[in-house]
Amino acid sequence: MAGTKSALVLCMDVGFSMSNSAPGEEPPFELAKKVIQKFVQRQVFAENKDELALVLFGTDSTKNPLDRDGQYQNITVHRHLMIPDFELLEEIENQVHPESQQADWMDALVVCMDLLQTETKGKKFDRLNVALLTDLSTQANQDHLDVIIENLKQAGITLQFFLPFPAEDDEEGGGDSDRRGPGHPGTGKGLSREQKESLDLVKHVMLSLDEEDGLDQVYTFRDAIEQLCMFKRIERRPMAWPCQLTIGSCLSIRIVGYKAVTEERLKKMWVTVDAQSNQKEDVKRETVYCLDDDNETEVKKDDTIQGFRYGSDIVPFSKVDQDQMKYKHDGKCFAVLGFTKQNLVRRHQFMGSQVVKMFAPKDDEHAGVALSALIRALDELQMVAIVRYAYDRRSNPQVGAAFPCVKQDYECLMYVQLPFMEDLRQFTFPSLENNKKLSPSDTQLSAVDSLIDSMMLVQKDDDDADQKDIFKVHHIPNPAFQRHFQCLHHRAVNPGTPLPPMEPWLKAALERPDVISERCQAPLEEIKRKFPLIEVEKKKKLKTSAQIFGKDAEEPDAKKAKGDEEEDYNLADIAEGSVTSVGSVDPARDFRTLIKLKSLPFGEVCQQLTHRIEQLLSNKNTHYYMKSITCIQAFREQSVKLGNADLYNSYLQSLKRSIPNRRLEVFWDLLVQDAITLISKDEVEGSTVSKNEANQFLVVEEKKEEAAVPSAEDTGDVDDLLDMM
Amino acid sequence: MAEWNAYYQNEDEDEEQEEGEQSGDYKVTGRDSLVFLVDASKEMFIKGEDGEPSNFDMTMQVVRSVYTSKIISSHRDLVALVFYGTEQSKNPRNSFKYVYVYHDLDEPGAKRVQEVDALRGEKGARLAAETMGSGETSLGDALWCCANLYSDIKLRLSHKRLMIFTCRDEPHRGDSAKDRQARTKASDLKETGVIIDLMHLMKPGGFDVAPFFRDIVSQPEDESELGLHLEPCDKLEDLQKRVRAKEQKKRAMARLNLCLGEGINVAVGIYATAVTARKPAAIRLYRETNEPVRSKTRTFHMQTGSLLLPSEIKKAQTYGKKQIVMERDEVDSIKKFQDPGLYLIGFKPMEKLKTHHHIRPAVFLYPEEGEVKGSACLFSALLMKCSERNVFALCRCVSRRNYPPRFVALVPQREEVDEGKVQFTPPGFNVIYLPYADDLRTLDPPQCPSASQIQVDKMKEIVSKLRFKYRSEAFENPVIQQHYRNLEALALDMMAPEDTEDLIMPKVDQINHRLGPLAEEFKDLVYPAGYNPESKSVAKRKTAIVGGVAEKKPKAEVPEDELRAHVQNGTLGKLTVPVLKEACKQFGVRTTGTKKQELIDF
């Protein structure tokens, strides 16, 4: 399946009428260019093998293979079929401009078809598609219409139109994604005669290619930017999973499963590079194992074995034994355990991260009939099949439900994983309704009622039973991807400049629709009046590290107190002279001892201590944070004592700078709570820091913290069974 | 404290996987603890009619199931098992008579499971009689002893619970001094944050909570009807359910504001009610001593060998020949859209929520009155109205800092209680994550003929024969069960692990028997003679194997210069995995990976 790829021709009108626009509106040319940029951007980052060509029409010059005897004029093949790259992106940015001619879009379509036919020769493509972006302002030559349609059909070329205005008036819900309501570009102007005629032609062509849903592939520019229309057409189809649905051992039906819904993730990971050279080869990550003793003695990986926890026991369990003893099964399977009422399978108990649709194999109509009988039986009885599902021998079997799905043009079973007993957490929560103190009054309830009225996202049309949904989440492209690609694109083309702000349309797409915002103003005010909401003042939300860790660190109290007390040295220790460097067990104490002994220069002892602090902080564990804080406290206290503030202050400042990068916000908060500031002039004369600065040192960081960032790198989906191939 | 945790929970896992979002494991709050205080009087050992297990036997089964489930789901919780009304005494300072501490507060392990097992059944009753016997009862002493168990623990305990299992509603038979002492001790315990539950069991004549135990147990959180007026348990299943419901401490994965509009913020907690249980990760042990080792990961510079500070690294992605470099904080900032919270977009009728719009397990929403006063009231009003009007609320959800937004459906769920007034569905909103356009894949459904009504009706007969009542807790995960049986066997030096029953295996014989001739009749209706759905694909596969071996594995080799060109152009990604592997061999690079990216990275 790895060989599947598509060929697509972007065919864009750059003629003079494309620059026309009503005041305050973006000209169609700019919108169309954005559509193309967005699309090419995604293709470049997707790194698949799809090939792309760019044909412009309405150009001042003519450059195409069909240019002969004054035919096919003002049409330019800007780029031949090839894998899109950054160069193409830059060309679109810098070389595609509005021009001053007009060309027949039907001619342009023929050029595209010709290009597809000649340039795909000898290569295998699964899908051929032409996307035409135009305002349809030129009269099209209809002479060879039938031949063209016939050719499109024969070559298996699909068509998409992108227009500045909707192809249909709202009556049929064709513009249903026009969620911003009034102000749709182009709709205000009224169409010219040419545009109307051309539009009829477009409809004719599209309906000849696909009687039922042809018009679904006619989009507005606005839709195209906000949705993924173009991608959907050429998208790679998910992998087939052939199997047999079995009911007992006597009845089986051949089926093929396709992953239909799953959380898509970015394919490429970030790699770590050296900040200076930008080379990943300069950076090496290494994991070492060490014993949990005072010296953190390192052991070789080969000297370790695998074990598991069984409650309080740790059981050595080698990989070999584990494989031998582990649960084994017969592999691929889709076996019915029984049937149950649909309402017993609760929506919120769906598990896993995907929905798999099961069809009959393409070439097996008997299986089709058998499966159809099952689907329809379940549908009519409002039941589902509970099944055992195993993707293959290596993957864990699941229990799940197969829902019947009967659509106008196809039928299938939809498989969703259900929980195992081990997955469930049976929580009970205090009753809300039976609690007199909490129950809302009638006036409160009616305020909520009018809020719901004003915020319904689905509107009933008067003349039609059809409902119009003005906020379809599944039409919004994942904003994280959009933003990701936008930033990558920017950095690739403009290295060295800061990242751009988020695109306004993307921001807007995530907001409440304007219509709703307006309508709900008054009801919201009412809610505000009727429901007093008072933020509870926390006596002291954050506690000092000692308070938190005293409880968490699971250390006996006595031991914990030790580090805090100032003069808590064990004389015996000193007399023995056992402390020669700052160790890892109790670095703060060692540090104090060494300073007292004066056996090493102050600077060196400090260096040893900061080295230990860095070690501790690399552990990202609350227990270690606590230990680092006692170290810093000791550092500060001894620095003040010796009247040497510089080392301490500069260390703390550099530590602060590194907080966001190292994701040590939690640790920093604790430091703030403990009010461990810089050493000011007031404390040590030589300090260059004023008292105010010293205090400010902690305050500033609190604001900054917002921008700082722990977050997850995308990792592969463990459950992503279908991708395991 | 609670605030702190809600915000910083899972900091560790955070880096590893986004799924951490779903997990409800909390390392920072301290340990949960649970004491089983079990009546060991003669009454507890009386068997029910028709050989029903005794109350004692039932209790031991429940204790065992809690032990094993704790081992699987929360092995760091502490559990104790204490008997009262015994003849023998065994407690830390042996200061209490008639109290037998069978297990003090500790993490449950294999040995303890075995020891509880020993108390089960007929044999168990004999063992109990021998070791502990039945004697006088002083619940006050028993509670005191339990209080000592708690205070002896040096660890921080986050949640303390004590469950009394008994079938005697007047344990001291009207001895008012003893009653008083027990009440005092109970209130002392409650003072220190211990929640006392009563798991009262069936006795002839009915169990009356009122005279004595009403003052012993903790008031339920919400002062509503729930909790006290329960019927006594007479079924193992009920008891198990009741214990389970109480035994797990619910914790919010996050506390967020549900923002309806400017300045209207309802504080809510997000709870994970279903989390995929996985086999726990292996831990590395030192071969010599079997002690666990810690792993440390360091990043250092290849040339200088010095450790790299985070400020000395950047992040990069390469497309074609182009390397795109960003600062670490830029990589994070790209993901930031809004601050964490739920923001109401509007409402939609329930039928707009499509079954197939599923991308992750749902979570549960419940108000946090302690954060914003008035939250519960507004939340409750929303819940009632949404449920009444059969609509869901559509919200934009940012669950944590620097997480990109997702849209969610808040589906109302009214409270439901069973006959025993035990809640089985809590009130609140289920949060259903909705897919974006990218998450829906385009399929080309095959054109197939539909079945005729006769064929459909025949299938309906089959479906009706195999109906059952689905319960989500009915299926154990055979993989996890087997894993723990194996560990149990190894931990206890058993010869072989206990057998596990694979509950998600179809009961083929039963199904065949139930269907009888229906299967054949259906096949006659839909399949032509000689059609065998199984053999067909098998045959196909066979030919593929026969013909495929020779040609399907072409020697995956690419001439060296071509390879170098690819390296220089950064177009290695275009090669297939086998080719890359071969190339690695060619250049003497050792590989174990099969992922393309790994191979390219070499």
Side-chain angles (χ1 to χ4, degrees):
Chain A
M1 292 295 267
T4 62
K5 55 178 177 175
S6 312
L8 175 113
V9 186
L10 295 170
C11 182
M12 178 176 164
D13 190 348
V14 296
F16 72 83
S17 65
M18 288 288 281
S19 312
N20 296 342
S21 67
E25 277 177 10
E26 250 180 311
F29 173 84
E30 291 302 328
L31 288 169
K33 185 166 163 176
K34 267 190 205 164
V35 172
I36 289 188
Q37 278 179 320
K38 191 117 291 158
F39 176 76
V40 175
Q41 186 187 86
R42 271 231 177 188
Q43 285 297 103
V44 170
F45 289 120
E47 285 200 316
N48 51 32
K49 293 180 191 130
D50 295 347
E51 297 191 13
L52 202 73
L54 178 61
V55 173
L56 305 174
F57 65 103
T59 48
D60 299 345
S61 60
T62 301
K63 199 179 118 196
N64 70 70
L66 302 181
D67 166 24
R68 217 167 286 132
D69 311 329
Q71 287 202 313
Y72 300 102
Q73 292 305 294
N74 305 107
I75 300 172
T76 302
V77 176
H78 185 93
R79 182 178 253 234
H80 291 273
L81 205 56
M82 58 196 283
I83 293 176
D85 47 24
F86 282 104
E87 250 161 63
L88 179 58
L89 275 175
E90 279 170 61
E91 280 170 25
I92 294 172
E93 175 76 41
N94 301 319
Q95 295 173 20
V96 176
H97 303 296
E99 304 197 26
S100 52
Q101 296 298 316
Q102 289 287 72
D104 183 339
W105 59 267
M106 197 63 96
D107 282 352
L109 175 59
V110 175
V111 171
C112 295
M113 288 163 61
D114 173 66
L115 184 151
L116 276 179
Q117 297 210 306
T118 49
E119 296 189 13
T120 55
K121 260 191 202 122
K123 299 187 206 170
K124 193 179 166 294
F125 288 96
D126 300 270
R127 263 171 286 281
L128 305 175
N129 190 42
V130 176
L132 254 158
L133 300 93
T134 175
D135 62 354
L136 297 177
S137 284
T138 45
Q139 185 124 38
N141 181 355
Q142 306 193 20
D143 293 351
H144 304 292
L145 189 58
D146 294 340
V147 183
I148 293 172
I149 291 174
E150 199 44 45
N151 270 329
L152 282 170
K153 278 187 181 166
Q154 264 182 6
I157 297 174
T158 52
L159 260 189
Q160 287 175 306
F161 278 92
F162 295 85
L163 310 175
F165 42 80
E168 296 165 283
D169 297 329
D170 277 351
E171 72 213 357
E172 263 192 79
D176 77 342
S177 20
D178 172 22
R179 30 184 296 262
R180 307 269 154 227
H184 199 291
T187 42
K189 306 200 269 201
L191 304 183
S192 68
R193 193 178 53 84
E194 288 83 12
Q195 283 177 317
K196 277 185 192 141
E197 276 179 21
S198 284
L199 188 55
D200 287 338
L201 198 56
V202 168
K203 287 186 189 171
H204 174 72
V205 173
M206 294 310 278
L207 290 174
S208 322
L209 291 176
D210 182 346
E211 262 174 66
E212 269 175 33
D213 303 318
L215 295 185
D216 288 356
Q217 294 300 325
V218 182
Y219 303 94
T220 64
F221 290 148
R222 180 67 57 184
D223 287 346
I225 293 175
E226 295 183 10
Q227 302 176 10
L228 299 171
C229 317
M230 254 188 269
F231 296 101
K232 284 291 165 189
R233 197 72 198 232
I234 60 160
E235 196 181 53
R236 197 168 303 169
R237 303 305 193 250
M239 198 147 25
W241 180 77
C243 189
Q244 278 135 37
L245 180 152
T246 58
I247 304 174
S249 61
C250 305
L251 183 52
S252 60
I253 304 173
R254 290 177 63 207
I255 53 168
V256 181
Y258 297 93
K259 195 187 268 199
V261 183
T262 193
E263 195 169 333
E264 212 57 60
R265 286 160 200 271
L266 292 167
K267 299 277 178 300
K268 208 160 223 180
M269 304 274 226
W270 291 98
V271 290
T272 305
V273 298
D274 179 58
Q276 234 90 79
S277 65
N278 285 350
Q279 293 295 307
K280 66 167 181 280
E281 290 77 18
D282 286 342
V283 178
K284 192 162 160 70
R285 263 172 96 80
E286 183 192 60
T287 301
V288 293
Y289 297 94
C290 58
L291 298 180
D292 204 8
D293 59 10
D294 289 353
N295 299 321
E296 301 197 322
T297 317
E298 268 184 37
V299 294
K300 287 204 207 91
K301 186 165 188 227
D302 292 346
D303 286 335
T304 63
I305 51 169
Q306 183 185 259
F308 286 94
R309 215 168 249 295
Y310 185 80
S312 54
D313 308 304
I314 293 173
V315 183
F317 195 12
S318 73
K319 247 202 149 75
V320 181
D321 287 345
Q322 199 197 341
D323 281 344
Q324 194 126 65
M325 292 172 75
K326 79 172 181 207
Y327 174 84
K328 292 183 196 73
H329 62 97
D330 296 335
K332 196 183 254 197
C333 143
F334 198 76
V336 172
L337 304 180
F339 299 97
T340 196
K341 280 271 166 213
Q342 268 177 31
N343 60 12
L344 291 176
V345 179
R346 311 282 280 257
R347 171 69 206 246
H348 65 269
Q349 290 192 327
F350 287 8
M351 298 295 288
S353 57
Q354 60 174 2
V355 173
V356 183
K357 287 190 174 173
M358 306 285 178
F359 300 93
K362 276 196 171 63
D363 53 349
D364 189 342
E365 68 178 66
H366 308 303
V369 171
L371 189 63
S372 165
L374 175 60
I375 292 166
R376 285 174 176 249
L378 291 175
D379 190 54
E380 285 172 27
L381 293 167
Q382 288 289 295
M383 294 183 80
V384 294
I386 301 296
V387 297
R388 171 195 178 93
Y389 165 88
Y391 180 71
D392 68 6
R393 186 183 277 282
R394 289 166 304 169
S395 50
N396 295 336
Q398 308 173 352
V399 63
F403 287 84
C405 167
V406 179
K407 286 271 165 71
Q408 209 167 19
D409 46 351
Y410 68 91
E411 296 170 357
C412 68
L413 287 175
M414 294 191 301
Y415 170 81
V416 188
Q417 190 185 350
L418 293 174
F420 283 115
M421 183 268 279
E422 293 89 341
D423 305 337
L424 294 170
R425 303 179 182 191
Q426 196 70 53
F427 294 148
T428 51
F429 288 86
S431 177
L432 288 172
E433 281 173 52
N434 297 333
N435 190 324
K436 280 166 211 88
K437 272 185 271 172
L438 299 178
S439 25
S441 67
D442 286 349
T443 55
Q444 283 178 321
L445 284 174
S446 72
V448 172
D449 242 341
S450 23
L451 181 74
I452 295 178
D453 282 335
S454 72
M455 293 186 79
M456 282 310 282
L457 295 163
V458 174
Q459 284 148 353
K460 270 209 178 81
D461 286 347
D462 292 334
D463 51 336
D464 205 342
D466 251 12
Q467 292 178 326
K468 207 170 106 185
D469 190 338
I470 59 169
F471 199 96
K472 282 186 177 160
V473 174
H474 63 280
H475 282 180
I476 304 175
N478 189 337
F481 295 0
Q482 295 297 318
R483 175 81 178 134
H484 182 80
F485 293 137
Q486 182 207 1
C487 290
L488 281 179
H489 181 179
H490 175 93
R491 185 50 58 84
V493 180
N494 318 288
T497 59
L499 296 178
M502 208 173 298
E503 289 166 311
W505 70 265
L506 181 58
K507 240 182 174 150
L510 303 174
E511 291 301 325
R512 204 177 267 174
D514 293 339
V515 215
I516 301 289
S517 296
E518 269 164 49
R519 268 202 326 236
C520 71
Q521 274 315 317
L524 272 178
E525 285 305 316
E526 188 63 14
I527 293 274
K528 213 170 184 171
R529 268 194 299 278
K530 292 274 161 61
F531 291 92
L533 291 165
I534 305 146
E535 197 159 337
V536 177
E537 283 287 329
K538 283 279 147 59
K539 270 163 229 134
K540 199 173 174 212
K541 271 193 177 174
L542 294 173
K543 301 185 176 178
T544 63
S545 58
Q547 276 170 289
I548 290 165
F549 295 122
K551 289 162 184 165
D552 277 341
E554 304 191 345
E555 262 185 318
D557 289 3
K559 197 175 163 191
K560 182 191 67 201
K562 240 180 192 173
D564 296 338
E565 274 167 78
E566 253 207 50
E567 297 286 338
D568 182 51
Y569 317 117
N570 188 335
L571 269 178
D573 271 358
I574 300 170
E576 270 175 303
S578 57
V579 183
T580 55
S581 66
V582 179
S584 63
V585 181
D586 192 344
R589 192 189 59 188
D590 291 352
F591 175 72
R592 288 194 180 94
T593 311
L594 284 169
I595 291 199
K596 195 152 224 184
L597 287 173
K598 295 201 181 78
S599 56
L600 289 169
F602 179 66
E604 194 180 329
V605 185
C606 291
Q607 207 182 356
Q608 287 186 5
L609 180 76
T610 54
H611 181 65
R612 287 290 173 211
I613 295 173
E614 293 300 322
Q615 263 185 352
L616 290 167
L617 289 181
S618 68
N619 278 302
K620 287 257 167 64
N621 172 311
T622 45
H623 180 71
Y624 291 96
Y625 288 167
M626 172 61 188
K627 216 165 165 181
S628 331
I629 285 181
T630 57
C631 289
I632 295 172
Q633 276 167 338
F635 194 0
R636 190 178 199 285
E637 144 216 318
Q638 295 299 318
S639 296
V640 173
K641 230 181 203 172
L642 295 176
N644 182 344
D646 292 348
L647 288 172
Y648 171 83
N649 281 351
S650 73
Y651 174 69
L652 211 59
Q653 277 160 337
S654 78
L655 180 63
K656 178 183 169 182
R657 278 194 298 274
S658 72
I659 294 294
N661 276 336
R662 298 162 74 184
R663 298 179 180 170
L664 285 172
E665 284 80 9
V666 180
F667 164 74
W668 187 260
D669 286 348
L670 299 168
L671 209 65
V672 173
Q673 293 308 310
D674 279 347
I676 301 176
T677 62
L678 293 176
I679 300 174
S680 70
K681 273 193 194 108
D682 298 20
E683 293 167 86
V684 171
E685 267 206 14
S687 170
T688 53
V689 179
S690 74
K691 176 131 199 189
N692 210 10
E693 280 174 313
N695 292 335
Q696 210 57 32
F697 181 67
L698 296 173
V699 178
V700 182
E701 192 56 35
E702 279 186 319
K703 270 186 221 136
K704 251 181 151 177
E705 192 217 65
E706 289 271 52
V709 276
S711 120
E713 203 115 76
D714 278 308
T715 55
D717 180 2
V718 189
D719 270 349
D720 211 353
L721 299 173
L722 287 171
D723 282 347
M724 270 178 40
M725 302 293 283
Chain B
M1 189 70 211
E3 180 70 15
W4 193 84
N5 285 320
Y7 219 65
Y8 295 110
Q9 48 113 345
N10 285 342
E11 200 82 24
D12 304 351
E13 288 105 306
D14 197 350
E15 286 184 47
E16 287 158 33
Q17 49 179 94
E18 204 169 334
E19 266 170 52
E21 201 179 348
Q22 295 292 337
S23 98
D25 287 334
Y26 298 80
K27 291 182 175 152
V28 272
T29 28
R31 315 270 193 103
D32 281 0
S33 61
L34 172 62
V35 173
F36 293 108
L37 182 55
V38 181
D39 188 352
S41 65
K42 289 214 166 60
E43 288 89 330
M44 287 288 286
F45 290 93
I46 297 170
K47 276 215 200 132
E49 292 157 27
D50 314 327
E52 294 274 308
S54 69
N55 280 328
F56 186 86
D57 199 8
M58 224 158 72
T59 306
M60 286 309 108
Q61 284 199 48
V62 171
V63 171
R64 184 199 201 269
S65 81
V66 171
Y67 271 29
T68 48
S69 83
K70 287 267 181 207
I71 285 173
I72 294 178
S73 61
S74 39
H75 66 88
R76 287 165 61 81
D77 289 359
L78 307 177
V79 190
L81 176 58
V82 180
F83 295 100
Y84 71 98
T86 53
E87 191 183 356
Q88 305 296 321
S89 312
K90 179 173 167 248
N91 44 69
R93 289 169 275 280
N94 270 326
S95 39
F96 305 106
K97 270 186 155 180
Y98 319 121
V99 181
Y100 197 100
V101 178
Y102 197 71
H103 288 148
D104 60 5
L105 267 178
D106 204 348
E107 297 171 5
K111 193 154 162 281
R112 288 194 164 195
V113 174
Q114 222 175 20
E115 284 163 357
V116 172
D117 267 340
L119 292 177
R120 285 166 60 186
E122 203 81 40
K123 255 189 182 164
R126 273 203 302 280
L127 179 70
E130 278 164 32
T131 51
M132 305 182 292
S134 298
E136 277 180 58
T137 299
S138 166
L139 197 59
D141 279 350
L143 290 171
W144 195 341
C145 177
C146 292
N148 287 347
L149 290 182
Y150 283 115
S151 58
D152 285 348
I153 293 294
K154 286 285 173 284
L155 306 173
R156 156 147 171 73
L157 299 177
S158 59
H159 180 67
K160 295 183 264 191
R161 205 172 259 282
L162 185 145
M163 290 184 187
I164 303 175
F165 292 77
T166 182
C167 59
R168 296 185 295 161
D169 47 10
E170 285 180 274
H172 307 123
R173 297 210 177 85
D175 180 336
S176 60
K178 274 187 171 170
D179 276 2
R180 206 176 323 114
Q181 190 214 359
R183 284 196 191 104
T184 321
K185 270 297 141 203
S187 71
D188 287 353
L189 269 172
K190 283 182 271 187
E191 201 101 302
T192 58
V194 179
I195 297 164
I196 303 178
D197 289 315
L198 178 64
M199 295 295 154
H200 48 316
L201 305 159
M202 208 40 148
K203 79 168 180 88
F207 194 107
D208 189 358
V209 179
F212 175 69
F213 276 103
R214 202 225 295 269
D215 301 328
I216 298 289
V217 299
S218 302
Q219 287 301 312
E221 301 158 77
D222 54 341
E223 302 167 44
S224 71
E225 307 294 290
L226 282 176
L228 248 190
H229 298 284
L230 294 172
E231 296 297 311
C233 276
D234 57 348
K235 279 208 254 15
L236 178 67
E237 217 174 276
D238 289 351
L239 185 63
Q240 221 140 17
K241 237 198 261 169
R242 235 176 251 194
V243 171
R244 276 214 133 205
K246 295 269 180 191
E247 165 251 312
Q248 292 169 324
K249 170 79 181 132
K250 52 178 188 280
R251 286 204 184 104
M253 299 184 354
R255 291 196 176 82
L256 298 173
N257 278 336
L258 166 61
C259 177
L260 306 188
E262 187 67 34
I264 311 176
N265 291 312
V266 178
V268 292
I270 293 187
Y271 299 84
T273 47
V275 182
T276 308
R278 297 182 193 287
K279 259 193 310 200
I283 40 180
R284 306 237 48 107
L285 309 175
Y286 185 44
R287 190 186 291 279
E288 305 288 314
T289 55
N290 280 351
E291 64 179 308
V293 296
R294 285 195 304 124
S295 72
K296 288 196 291 195
T297 305
R298 304 190 284 225
T299 309
F300 60 87
H301 197 276
M302 272 302 263
Q303 257 106 63
T304 64
S306 63
L307 288 182
L308 282 170
L309 289 176
S311 58
E312 292 167 325
I313 359 185
K314 286 186 184 172
K315 294 286 181 179
Q317 294 196 349
T318 307
Y319 290 91
K321 283 171 258 179
K322 212 147 198 154
Q323 188 192 36
I324 303 169
V325 182
M326 291 200 193
E327 301 286 343
R328 287 158 48 100
D329 57 340
E330 284 178 326
V331 171
D332 290 323
S333 73
I334 290 176
K335 290 186 225 156
K336 169 152 181 161
F337 283 71
Q338 291 101 5
D339 287 326
L342 286 156
Y343 178 78
L344 178 65
I345 301 288
F347 298 89
K348 285 190 194 184
M350 277 308 288
E351 66 264 19
K352 288 281 165 192
L353 181 64
K354 304 288 180 217
T355 309
H356 65 281
H357 284 179
H358 164 71
I359 48 167
R360 339 175 162 165
V363 290
F364 184 74
L365 220 58
Y366 190 83
E368 291 279 338
E369 190 71 2
E371 302 282 317
V372 174
K373 208 156 174 280
S375 292
C377 181
L378 180 45
F379 185 95
S380 176
L382 269 174
L383 182 63
M384 282 161 83
K385 278 295 161 191
C386 283
S387 158
E388 192 182 298
R389 302 181 51 162
N390 204 28
V391 296
F392 67 85
L394 182 73
C395 291
R396 187 182 65 212
C397 170
V398 175
S399 49
R400 276 201 254 167
R401 278 202 296 175
N402 295 322
Y403 268 43
R406 285 224 76 109
F407 286 94
V408 295
L410 304 190
V411 178
Q413 174 174 291
R414 301 286 278 266
E415 180 181 18
E416 290 174 293
V417 293
D418 64 13
E419 318 84 53
K421 295 238 168 110
V422 177
Q423 181 183 71
F424 65 91
T425 316
F429 284 100
N430 285 306
V431 181
I432 312 279
Y433 288 90
L434 300 174
Y436 283 121
D438 304 78
D439 305 326
L440 302 178
R441 300 188 173 187
T442 316
L443 304 180
D444 302 317
Q447 295 299 319
C448 274
S450 294
S452 68
Q453 197 56 46
I454 305 169
Q455 292 160 331
V456 173
D457 288 341
K458 185 54 75 183
M459 183 48 90
K460 276 188 181 169
E461 286 181 51
I462 292 179
V463 169
S464 311
K465 285 277 184 207
L466 302 176
R467 302 170 65 120
F468 75 111
K469 215 175 155 198
Y470 171 79
R471 286 181 307 116
S472 51
E473 66 276 12
F475 300 100
E476 288 182 344
N477 186 339
V479 177
I480 292 187
Q481 291 299 331
Q482 184 66 51
H483 177 73
Y484 280 104
R485 294 291 151 86
N486 291 345
L487 291 181
E488 190 183 48
L490 289 169
L492 298 174
D493 286 329
M494 285 152 58
M495 291 298 286
E498 219 180 298
D499 277 338
T500 46
E501 191 193 349
D502 186 346
L503 295 170
I504 60 165
M505 210 52 176
K507 298 189 172 58
V508 173
D509 293 339
Q510 241 170 299
I511 292 177
N512 290 346
H513 178 73
R514 284 239 197 149
L515 290 185
L518 279 173
E520 285 307 318
E521 287 167 28
F522 177 76
K523 281 198 277 188
D524 289 344
L525 278 175
V526 295
Y527 293 153
Y531 175 91
N532 185 342
E534 272 146 88
S535 71
K536 199 166 175 182
S537 70
V538 170
K540 232 180 169 179
R541 203 179 306 150
K542 254 186 200 147
T543 56
I545 292 166
V546 171
V549 176
E551 60 193 46
K552 255 215 154 171
K553 286 224 167 181
K555 194 93 168 96
E557 254 186 77
V558 177
E560 197 174 312
D561 46 356
E562 197 180 320
L563 213 75
R564 291 208 188 281
H566 276 299
V567 173
Q568 267 152 20
N569 297 332
T571 47
L572 274 177
K574 287 185 192 149
L575 300 176
T576 60
V577 173
V579 172
L580 285 171
K581 275 200 153 178
E582 194 59 38
C584 287
K585 249 188 241 165
Q586 218 173 309
F587 286 96
V589 185
R590 205 168 55 91
T591 65
T592 49
T594 50
K595 288 245 173 66
K596 199 171 201 173
Q597 196 59 44
E598 286 170 35
L599 293 168
I600 293 173
D601 285 345
F602 271 105

